[in-house]
Amino acid sequence: MTTTYNSIKSLREALKPLRADKKIALVPTMGNLHQGHISLVKLAKQHADIVVVSIFVNPTQFGVGEDLDSYPRTLEADTEKLIEVEADYIFAPTVDEMYPIMPPPTQVLAGSISQMLCGKSRPTHFDGVGIVVTKLFNIVQPDVAIFGKKDYQQLAIIKQLVRDLSFDIQLIGGPIVRAEDGLALSSRNQYLTETERAAAPELHKAVQDLAVKLQSGRATSETALQSLIEESITAINAKGFKVDYLEVRNQDLTPITEFAGKQSWVIAVAAWLGKARLLDNQEVDI
Amino acid sequence: MTTTYNSIKSLREALKPLRADKKIALVPTMGNLHQGHISLVKLAKQHADIVVVSIFVNPTQFGVGEDLDSYPRTLEADTEKLIEVEADYIFAPTVDEMYPIMPPPTQVLAGSISQMLCGKSRPTHFDGVGIVVTKLFNIVQPDVAIFGKKDYQQLAIIKQLVRDLSFDIQLIGGPIVRAEDGLALSSRNQYLTETERAAAPELHKAVQDLAVKLQSGRATSETALQSLIEESITAINAKGFKVDYLEVRNQDLTPITEFAGKQSWVIAVAAWLGKARLLDNQEVDI
C-alpha cells in the first residue's frame, strides 16, 4: 500500500513504529516522475524494507528567472507510478510546511564544490539543495538515501554534507537512465520542441566520443586534455547546443593534476538546447 | 553506570537499541563542568530516560587569537562529576573524530541573528556553533536537548536551527546558575584574578538594576530605553569592566519596536574584566 502524507508530523508518526526493525530508504524527487526516478525507487527497495519518496518542487534551489513556476507538477500521475512500483510512503509537503519562514534564515552551504560546474551559472542552486536535503534527512531519518547520478555534482555535494554534518545515512547513487536514443531522462526534456528532441542525443554521443579518447590515453597532460575538451565543445555547439560548461574532473570533482597511471575521472556537461538546459556526465576509469 | 565513548560509531551502537522505548537527552558542553552544567544534566534527567553529555572543546567556534589553546580541559574531573550525578553516557571525541577535514567545507550559518550581540565581536563564533550542534544532533539523535540560558543568543540560534532544519528535537533552556554573590557560573571565570573575581558580581547587579528600571515602566520610547542602557554601561565600566555590548531586545532577539503594553524583553550583556569576557542576561517581562 502506498500512503501519501503532506505534513511532517504525520509522516514522522507513521515512520516512528517502523524504525526499530525496518530499514528505511528515502528517494528525494521534485516529482514529474520518469523511468529515471522509478529506477531509483526500485534500487531503494533492494536496499531497504520501507521506501519513502518525497515529491517537492523546492523553491530555494531555483534562481531568479529560472523555471520554478513552469516546472511540471503532476502529483496524480506520480502517485499512480509509485503505487505501481510499490513505494510505501509519498511525502508531498506544501512550501509553507517546509518553509514556515521563507527564505529560512539558517543556511547549509557546501563551499567551493558548489561554486564550480553548475554552480557557476546557478550560484545559489546548491544552497537550496543543501537546506532541503538536510530537512528531508531530518524529517525522514532514513538509513539509506538514493540520488540519481545524472545530477553528479549534487550527489558529490550530498556526500560531503553527510560526512561534514555526521548524518548516519548510507548514500547510494543510481545510474543514469536513458531514452533508447541515448538522451538522459529528465523532466526538463519536456521543454524541447520535436526538432530539438531529435537533436538532443548528440550531447550524450559527444560525451561518449570524448570518453573513448580519454580511455585511449590521449589526455597525457593538462594541455592535451584541454584541447580534447575544446574539440568536444565545438562539436556539441555545431549540433545546435550552447554549451554552458564541459569539464573533466576527478570523480570527487577536484581538478585533475595527475595524468599518468590509473585515474578515475568524470566528464560533466551542461548545455542549452532551446529552452532546456540539459545535463549529462560519464565516469571514465583509465 | 556512566560510560565514556570517544568514537561516533561506538556511541551510535550503544544508543541504537535504546531508541525504541527510551527517551534520550543530549547536554552539549565544552567540559570543565561547574554547577551550571550539572544543573543542565539534572534537568535532562527530568525530561529523559537516558542522558548523553558531550564534552568537546569545539575549535570551529573559537576565532583567531581567542582562548582555544588555554580553554580548560579537565576530562577526569568532569567524568567524576558526571558519575556522581548519574549521567549515562559521556561523548568525548577528538578533534579528528569530529572534523576529519578541518575546516569542514560544509557550513551551517544562522544569518543575521548570528551577526548581532556576541556576533559583532566574534564574527565566526556562531558558524562554529551551528556546525558542531548539527553534528551532535545527528550523532546522538536525541529527543530532547538542553542548553544553558547563560548563552542566550546561542539558545536563540539553536531554536532557529531546529525550526529551519526540521530537527525532531525538543529544546529546553536551563536557567543561569550563579555563585552566592550573583556571578553567573562560567568556565571563563577562572581567568579572573582575586581582585577581579571580587568585582565580577557588579555585572549581574547592574543588569538587575536595569531590569528594575524597565519593570517600573521607564522605557517608554526608543530614546528613553537608550538612555537607560547608556547609564547602565557607564555604571558597569566605572566598576573596572569594559563593556563589549549591553542591549535590550525582544526575547527572540529581534529589535524592540513596541514600548506600550505587555512586553517580553531580555537584557543581554558581554563585558571584559581583565582577561575574561563575561556574559550575563536577564529576561524582563513587563
Side-chain angles (χ1 to χ4, degrees):
Chain A
M1 210 183 73
T2 307
T3 315
T4 300
Y5 291 107
N6 306 114
S7 88
I8 295 170
K9 192 162 176 279
S10 57
L11 177 69
R12 275 184 176 145
E13 278 169 12
L15 294 177
K16 201 176 166 70
L18 304 172
R19 294 195 184 283
D21 54 359
K22 301 283 187 199
K23 209 166 161 185
I24 297 171
L26 170 65
V27 184
T29 81
M30 297 213 300
N32 194 243
L33 305 181
H34 51 62
Q35 283 305 313
H37 300 105
I38 299 304
S39 75
L40 300 181
V41 177
K42 288 178 180 166
L43 194 58
K45 289 183 75 79
Q46 289 168 29
H47 286 88
D49 308 302
I50 302 286
V51 175
V52 181
V53 179
S54 63
I55 296 183
F56 181 60
V57 182
N58 173 38
T60 63
Q61 73 190 67
F62 287 80
V64 174
E66 288 187 356
D67 56 345
L68 173 61
D69 293 335
S70 58
Y71 197 90
R73 287 153 171 94
T74 54
L75 185 59
E76 209 170 314
D78 294 345
T79 303
E80 278 171 33
K81 288 175 189 165
L82 291 172
I83 290 171
E84 198 171 324
V85 73
E86 296 179 344
D88 300 284
Y89 297 103
I90 300 171
F91 177 52
T94 60
V95 172
D96 282 351
E97 178 72 5
M98 286 295 275
Y99 298 113
I101 291 184
M102 179 69 176
T106 306
Q107 289 193 287
V108 179
L109 307 182
S112 61
I113 194 173
S114 67
Q115 304 304 314
M116 58 178 71
L117 305 173
C118 282
K120 276 192 188 156
S121 49
R122 305 187 72 191
T124 61
H125 171 63
F126 291 114
D127 305 349
V129 170
I131 192 160
V132 82
V133 169
T134 300
K135 286 174 76 77
L136 290 170
F137 283 178
N138 284 340
I139 291 165
V140 178
Q141 296 191 301
D143 301 284
V144 182
I146 318 272
F147 291 85
K149 280 190 165 183
K150 188 177 77 73
D151 299 303
Y152 201 90
Q153 185 177 10
Q154 172 175 277
L155 180 57
I157 284 172
I158 294 166
K159 275 182 194 163
Q160 182 187 281
L161 180 89
V162 165
R163 180 197 68 200
D164 289 350
L165 302 187
S166 302
F167 280 106
D168 191 13
I169 296 173
Q170 181 195 357
L171 278 187
I172 298 175
I176 297 178
V177 177
R178 299 182 181 280
E180 261 183 43
D181 59 10
L183 176 65
L185 296 191
S186 164
S187 298
R188 290 189 171 106
N189 294 348
Q190 295 173 33
Y191 301 157
L192 297 170
T193 64
E194 204 171 322
T195 322
E196 287 162 358
R197 176 64 190 78
E202 296 295 336
L203 187 64
H204 175 51
K205 278 187 200 148
V207 170
Q208 277 185 309
D209 288 348
L210 178 55
V212 169
K213 290 175 192 167
L214 296 178
Q215 265 153 347
S216 69
R218 287 181 52 187
T220 49
S221 67
E222 176 65 39
T223 317
L225 174 61
Q226 212 47 51
S227 140
L228 291 172
I229 288 172
E230 275 155 35
E231 267 177 38
S232 187
I233 291 175
T234 305
I236 296 166
N237 285 339
K239 299 288 182 180
F241 292 82
K242 194 169 171 292
V243 170
D244 181 11
Y245 65 82
L246 188 156
E247 294 198 39
V248 182
R249 292 190 167 246
N250 294 312
Q251 288 178 9
D252 63 0
L253 299 186
T254 54
I256 295 170
T257 51
E258 284 292 317
F259 292 87
K262 273 184 91 137
Q263 299 295 332
S264 293
W265 293 344
V266 60
I267 305 166
V269 64
W272 287 93
L273 185 59
K275 285 183 191 165
R277 185 170 172 278
L278 304 180
L279 295 185
D280 211 332
N281 66 75
Q282 189 160 321
E283 290 175 334
V284 185
D285 294 299
I286 301 165
Chain B
M1 209 182 74
T2 306
T3 315
T4 300
Y5 291 107
N6 306 113
S7 87
I8 294 170
K9 193 163 176 279
S10 57
L11 177 68
R12 275 185 177 146
E13 278 168 11
L15 293 177
K16 201 178 168 69
L18 305 172
R19 293 195 184 282
D21 54 358
K22 301 283 188 201
K23 210 167 160 185
I24 298 171
L26 170 66
V27 184
T29 81
M30 298 214 299
N32 195 244
L33 304 181
H34 50 63
Q35 283 305 312
H37 300 105
I38 299 304
S39 75
L40 300 181
V41 177
K42 287 178 180 165
L43 194 57
K45 289 182 77 78
Q46 289 169 27
H47 285 88
D49 308 301
I50 302 287
V51 175
V52 181
V53 179
S54 63
I55 296 182
F56 181 60
V57 182
N58 173 39
T60 63
Q61 73 189 67
F62 287 80
V64 174
E66 287 187 356
D67 56 345
L68 173 61
D69 293 337
S70 58
Y71 198 89
R73 287 155 171 92
T74 55
L75 186 59
E76 208 170 317
D78 294 344
T79 303
E80 277 170 32
K81 287 175 190 167
L82 291 173
I83 290 171
E84 198 171 322
V85 73
E86 297 180 342
D88 300 283
Y89 297 101
I90 300 171
F91 177 52
T94 61
V95 172
D96 282 350
E97 178 71 4
M98 287 295 273
Y99 298 113
I101 292 185
M102 180 67 176
T106 306
Q107 288 194 288
V108 179
L109 307 182
S112 61
I113 194 173
S114 66
Q115 304 304 312
M116 57 177 71
L117 305 172
C118 283
K120 276 192 189 156
S121 49
R122 306 186 72 190
T124 62
H125 171 63
F126 291 114
D127 304 349
V129 170
I131 192 159
V132 81
V133 170
T134 300
K135 287 174 75 77
L136 290 170
F137 283 177
N138 285 339
I139 291 165
V140 177
Q141 295 190 302
D143 300 284
V144 182
I146 318 273
F147 292 84
K149 279 190 168 184
K150 189 177 75 73
D151 300 305
Y152 201 89
Q153 185 176 9
Q154 173 176 277
L155 180 57
I157 285 171
I158 293 166
K159 275 182 195 162
Q160 182 188 281
L161 181 88
V162 165
R163 181 196 68 199
D164 290 350
L165 302 188
S166 302
F167 280 107
D168 192 12
I169 296 172
Q170 181 194 359
L171 278 188
I172 297 174
I176 298 177
V177 177
R178 299 181 181 281
E180 262 182 44
D181 59 10
L183 176 64
L185 297 190
S186 165
S187 298
R188 290 191 170 104
N189 293 348
Q190 295 174 34
Y191 301 157
L192 298 169
T193 64
E194 205 171 323
T195 321
E196 288 161 356
R197 176 63 191 81
E202 296 294 338
L203 186 64
H204 175 52
K205 277 187 202 149
V207 170
Q208 278 183 309
D209 287 349
L210 178 55
V212 169
K213 290 175 192 168
L214 296 178
Q215 264 153 348
S216 69
R218 288 183 50 190
T220 50
S221 67
E222 175 67 39
T223 318
L225 175 60
Q226 213 45 51
S227 141
L228 292 171
I229 288 172
E230 274 156 34
E231 268 177 35
S232 187
I233 292 175
T234 305
I236 296 166
N237 285 338
K239 300 289 182 181
F241 292 82
K242 193 171 172 290
V243 170
D244 181 11
Y245 66 81
L246 188 156
E247 295 197 39
V248 183
R249 293 191 167 245
N250 294 311
Q251 288 180 9
D252 63 0
L253 300 186
T254 54
I256 295 171
T257 51
E258 285 291 319
F259 291 86
K262 274 186 87 134
Q263 300 294 334
S264 293
W265 293 344
V266 60
I267 305 167
V269 65
W272 287 94
L273 186 58
K275 286 183 191 166
R277 184 171 172 278
L278 304 179
L279 295 186
D280 211 333
N281 66 75
Q282 189 160 322
E283 289 175 334
V284 186
D285 295 299
I286 299 164

